[in-house]
Amino acid sequence: MGNSESTAEMHQVFNTAAAVYDQSGVEFFGPIGRRLVEFSRIGSGQSVLDVGCGRGAVLFPVAEAVGPSGEVIGIDLSEEMVKYAGRDARERGLGHVTTRVMNGQQPDYPRARFDAVIGGFSVFIWTHGSAELKPYRELLRPGGLFATSAPSFFPTATGKWGFLPEDVHDLLLPHMTQPKEGDAYDCPFTNIHNNWLVTEEAVTDTLANAGFVDAEVVEEDLLITVESGDQWVRWTRTHGMRRLWDRLAEQEAEELAAEVARRLDALRGADGIITLPTPIVYMRARARRD
């Protein structure tokens, strides 16, 4: 589990980003959330916990999947995220959806409380192995479902990490993987080539060691489209990647952003749009029925 320092930093990063989170015009968390819910096969009438619900990219597709006869609880460490998600749920008239401020690493619910536990682009942030996944299995009823999505750590044909556009990989990866003084953010980036998400086999083995069965893992490309390299850079400041920029000196951040934008602008197609294939990993498994 994350220590108090890492939890505090995650809280700060996402509380600060909440107002602009998934609001930049770049389609990313929404399509991933919808695909994760489709992949999970959550059904009508089920009780579901959404871990790290953010502003609702998974929460609202799950609410649609379970329908009014079901129940969806979204939890997030960030009060601001919960505020926005709760407001939107009320505006949509979703009486079967509730949101709570809660540490997703340690959900405060009884054993066997839910039919499904799901986490869109959240669980991977603080998970280093099977020990951190066991709490979610314990929350599930026999045969209950666990499903989550994450950026792909599977190596590309050139040995690079596919979540970053290849043309700026060398610029950004060092800032995401090299710990700086006082770094306490409990995330797998600093161990990028040796973590539980690095291969399909590693994912399935980790889920099995956490007590899950019938694991399925798929990697799929999401096509991110932006109008300019600058828009992509601005988008990275609206979610967890803002940590990269926040930790740089102002001039260094400006120079890095300018070079990243320049390289991405060179990828503009004939239609004036920059298209960036971004691999996403989706995984699901079940608690034992016995």
Side-chain angles (χ1 to χ4, degrees):
M1 293 296 175
N3 57 33
S4 59
E5 291 85 1
S6 67
T7 300
E9 186 177 3
M10 281 191 285
H11 176 267
Q12 175 64 27
V13 167
F14 291 104
N15 239 14
T16 303
V20 294
Y21 190 82
D22 208 20
Q23 308 298 306
S24 68
V26 177
E27 289 290 322
F28 185 71
F29 293 107
I32 292 173
R34 293 189 292 272
R35 176 63 181 123
L36 178 61
V37 173
E38 176 187 55
F39 177 74
S40 71
R41 300 174 187 165
I42 289 171
S44 176
Q46 292 189 321
S47 175
V48 182
L49 177 68
D50 179 8
V51 178
C53 66
R55 291 190 55 159
V58 169
L59 190 72
F60 299 126
V62 166
E64 182 177 355
V66 303
S69 63
E71 171 196 34
V72 184
I73 300 175
I75 62 172
D76 202 287
L77 187 68
S78 163
E79 299 92 346
E80 289 296 303
M81 291 289 195
V82 169
K83 178 185 75 175
Y84 286 113
R87 179 201 66 185
D88 290 349
R90 290 189 297 273
E91 290 180 352
R92 296 176 186 221
L94 299 175
H96 60 300
V97 173
T98 58
T99 56
R100 290 185 61 186
V101 176
M102 186 182 294
N103 187 343
Q105 299 172 76
Q106 301 171 317
D108 185 19
Y109 290 102
R111 293 175 63 92
R113 168 67 173 79
F114 298 98
D115 297 306
V117 174
I118 193 167
F121 251 62
S122 57
V123 173
F124 82 95
I125 296 175
W126 56 77
T127 304
H128 294 272
S130 59
E132 290 89 356
L133 296 178
K134 287 180 180 178
Y136 309 120
R137 190 228 334 131
E138 293 171 356
L139 291 175
L140 291 170
R141 294 164 185 156
L145 174 82
F146 172 71
T148 187
S149 57
S152 176
F153 288 80
F154 298 179
T156 65
T158 57
K160 297 181 177 179
W161 181 37
F163 181 69
L164 294 172
E166 185 148 330
D167 292 72
V168 297
H169 189 276
D170 62 308
L171 293 176
L172 296 177
L173 190 66
H175 297 288
M176 300 185 71
T177 58
Q178 294 177 4
K180 297 183 171 58
E181 184 177 354
D183 186 3
Y185 196 91
D186 193 9
C187 114
F189 296 154
T190 54
N191 198 21
I192 193 169
H193 297 299
N194 185 28
N195 67 69
W196 74 285
L197 291 164
V198 75
T199 65
E200 181 177 340
E201 182 181 18
V203 173
T204 55
D205 286 348
T206 301
L207 289 167
N209 290 334
F212 292 104
V213 297
D214 301 330
E216 297 180 62
V217 182
V218 300
E219 182 190 48
E220 299 176 355
D221 273 349
L222 173 69
L223 298 182
I224 296 179
T225 59
V226 293
E227 297 177 355
S228 67
D230 180 65
Q231 185 186 27
W232 188 86
V233 170
R234 286 186 281 109
W235 168 70
T236 66
R237 295 179 185 269
T238 69
H239 54 77
M241 274 185 69
R242 69 173 296 134
R243 171 178 176 265
L244 179 159
W245 303 105
D246 289 347
R247 294 188 166 211
L248 296 176
E250 183 176 355
Q251 182 174 349
E252 183 181 9
E254 290 179 359
E255 292 173 354
L256 178 62
E259 178 59 16
V260 168
R262 185 191 69 78
R263 291 192 189 185
L264 294 181
D265 281 337
L267 304 178
R268 197 184 305 276
D271 58 359
I273 299 298
I274 301 167
T275 302
L276 303 169
T278 305
I280 309 297
V281 171
Y282 301 89
M283 61 204 88
R284 66 181 175 226
R286 291 195 175 274
R288 295 183 182 277
R289 293 186 182 277
D290 50 17

